């Protein structure tokens, strides 16, 4: 019989929290702010590249919402995110940052913390530990806590009216009241709709601008009417009429000549027509051109160069936290192999076998 337990990486794939190692961007007439991409006779997509900060700043010249889609579990994505956060130009164009890795139940705690108030560590950790994705994704990788502490440090230098607010996009599940999987399922079903509602009422209704940091699967445009209609960005675009400029992290052998942390527009290059399923290691996207799903690609390096931001196994020696993870795991049928959290993990990011879209067409 097959072992019913899941590794953490497999859990992320099954739940759709990760769209694997590839990423993309769709372009909707970027104009001069985004720059037009041309390709050389060598087929390289590097003629209109920008670093991430430049690309985000340019996108905000024409859009109130910019989304950066990640493949979860990449240290390089966390590094690029940190460089963006500390750039002094970012607070000039961004009012809010909407994140997937925070439970909206704790919004008042994060508001106080990033504004500079004292918040005890055990209180702050609830934000990323108690999401709908626990126990399969605990949020204990250092890049998650680092994000909130970096925003706090950036805000320290800013006047109150210019400070960046962090909006928590995960539905407000209260694990202290959860005793059955059907209770969890209610919140899981709300994930994209809740994020769309946060953007609609906390950002757009207040005439603000937001950077959205989510997994790529949540922020891709609809490839055609009705497709991905229940995903966050398509919901936002349908309900508000606002186009979200989408940058998705990904890799491809043909990008090997591009500098790492480069953002490349899809429009006008081979990226526009590339099969998204193969590029994103997601069979369900086979047959859809990349350019329909995203506006640009954040290239972080070849798959063999990517690494993981690893949690400290000592975290899970806390008997209270460990017991709670086991309680949650029992609720979902003990599907997660929790023992992996107490073991040292390899720094190299595991890469799935490449997807063959030819073999998956029609499925």
């Amino acid at each position: 019989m097959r072992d019913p337990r899941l590794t953490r990486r497999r859990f992320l794939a099954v739940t759709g929290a990760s769209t694997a190692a590839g990423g993309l961007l769709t372009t909707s007439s970027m104009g001069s702010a985004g720059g037009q991409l041309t390709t050389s006779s060598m087929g390289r997509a590097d003629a209109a590249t920008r670093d991430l900060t430049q690309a985000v700043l340019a996108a905000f010249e024409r859009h109130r919402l910019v989304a950066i889609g990640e493949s979860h579990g990449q240290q390089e994505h966390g590094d690029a995110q940190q460089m963006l956060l500390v750039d002094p130009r970012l607070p000039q164009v961004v009012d809010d940052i909407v994140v997937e890795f925070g439970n909206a139940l704790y919004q008042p705690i994060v508001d106080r913390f990033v504004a500079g108030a004292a918040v005890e560590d055990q209180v702050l950790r609830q934000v990323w530990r108690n999401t709908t994705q626990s126990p399969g994704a605990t949020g204990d990788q250092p890049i998650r806590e680092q994000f909130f502490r970096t925003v706090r440090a950036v805000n320290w230098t800013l006047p109150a009216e210019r400070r960046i607010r962090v909006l928590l996009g995960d539905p407000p599940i209260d694990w202290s009241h959860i005793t059955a999987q059907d209770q969890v399922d209610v919140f899981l079903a709300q994930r994209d709709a809740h994020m769309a509602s946060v953007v609609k009422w906390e950002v757009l209704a207040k005439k603000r601008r937001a950077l959205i940091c989510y997994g790529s699967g949540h922020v891709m445009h609809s490839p055609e009417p009705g497709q991905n209609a229940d995903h966050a960005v398509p919901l936002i675009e349908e309900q508000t009429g606002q186009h979200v400029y989408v940058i998705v992290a990904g890799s491809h052998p043909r990008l090997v000549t591009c500098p790492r942390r480069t953002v490349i527009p899809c429009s006008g290059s081979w990226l526009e027509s590339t099969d998204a399923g193969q590029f994103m290691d997601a069979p369900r996207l086979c047959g859809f051109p990349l350019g329909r799903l995203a506006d640009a690609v954040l290239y972080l390096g070849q798959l063999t160069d990517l690494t993981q931001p690893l949690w400290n196994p000592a975290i899970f020696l806390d008997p209270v936290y460990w017991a709670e993870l086991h309680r949650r795991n029992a609720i979902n049928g003990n599907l997660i192999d929790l023992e992996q959290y107490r073991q040292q993990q390899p720094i190299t990011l595991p890469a799935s076998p490449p997807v063959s879209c030819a073999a998956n067409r029609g499925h």
Side-chain angles (χ1 to χ4, degrees), residues 71-361:
S71 295
H72 296 317
Q74 292 182 3
Q75 177 65 52
E76 287 70 23
H77 192 281
D79 293 342
Q81 187 180 69
Q82 285 293 115
M83 294 178 67
L84 173 63
L85 291 176
V86 300
D87 193 289
R89 295 169 293 179
L90 188 68
Q92 300 173 25
V93 299
V94 170
D95 302 300
D96 307 306
I97 303 178
V98 186
V99 298
E100 180 180 4
F101 46 89
N103 181 341
L105 185 68
Y106 306 105
Q107 186 65 56
I109 291 174
V110 164
D111 284 341
R112 294 200 309 271
F113 181 75
V114 301
V119 176
E120 294 184 359
D121 287 346
Q122 63 266 32
V123 173
L124 182 63
R125 290 177 188 136
Q126 297 177 97
V127 172
W128 56 82
R129 285 184 174 178
N130 292 346
T131 72
T132 59
Q133 302 303 285
S134 181
T138 68
D140 286 300
Q141 305 99 316
I143 59 173
R144 298 311 186 199
E145 181 172 356
Q146 187 179 37
F147 168 87
F148 293 103
R149 294 193 180 280
T150 299
V151 175
R152 174 187 168 97
V154 168
N155 281 343
W156 187 269
T157 67
L158 301 173
E161 68 276 8
R162 194 60 267 156
R163 291 173 186 158
I164 295 173
R165 188 183 186 199
V166 176
L167 294 169
L168 306 177
D170 198 60
I173 186 172
D174 185 345
W175 277 102
S176 68
H177 294 158
I178 299 296
T179 58
Q181 183 60 39
D182 59 353
Q183 295 174 293
V184 180
D185 292 341
V186 170
F187 289 97
L188 289 173
Q190 300 172 2
R191 294 189 71 215
D192 287 84
H194 180 80
M195 189 269 263
S197 178
V198 168
V199 171
K200 183 177 180 179
W201 297 112
E202 295 296 324
V203 180
L204 297 177
K206 296 180 179 181
K207 310 297 182 185
R208 294 165 70 86
R209 295 170 293 183
L211 179 68
I212 300 170
C213 296
Y214 255 71
S216 296
H218 299 280
V219 302
M220 292 183 294
H221 298 296
S222 294
E224 57 188 33
Q227 287 282 340
N228 294 347
D230 59 345
H231 290 191
V233 159
L235 284 172
I236 293 169
E237 294 180 328
E238 178 183 348
Q239 294 175 6
T240 69
Q242 289 282 335
H243 176 81
V244 182
Y245 187 84
V246 177
I247 302 171
V248 187
S251 181
H252 193 283
R254 291 179 67 179
L255 297 177
V256 68
T257 58
C258 293
R260 298 176 75 172
R261 299 174 183 158
T262 289
V263 173
I264 312 153
C266 291
S267 180
S269 80
W270 59 271
L271 290 172
E272 187 171 20
S273 59
T274 294
D275 196 307
Q278 186 173 23
F279 192 82
M280 296 191 70
D281 191 17
R284 65 186 176 82
L285 298 177
C286 284
F288 293 113
L290 185 59
R292 290 188 191 176
L293 303 177
D295 296 290
V297 171
L298 170 59
Y299 173 65
L300 297 170
Q302 295 296 296
L303 297 183
T304 54
D305 297 327
L306 300 179
T307 59
Q308 301 183 84
L310 298 176
W311 59 88
N312 182 351
I315 289 172
F316 303 100
L317 297 179
D318 177 349
V320 175
Y321 185 36
W322 190 240
E324 175 60 14
L325 290 178
H326 274 278
R327 186 186 75 87
R328 297 176 189 179
N329 202 27
I331 289 172
N332 73 16
N334 290 310
L335 292 179
I336 308 302
D337 178 14
L338 294 180
E339 288 301 324
Q340 65 187 305
Y341 292 160
R342 288 182 164 184
Q343 300 167 4
Q344 196 68 42
Q345 303 293 317
I347 193 68
T348 303
L349 184 72
S352 303
V355 168
S356 172
C357 280
N360 285 280
R361 266 183 231 287

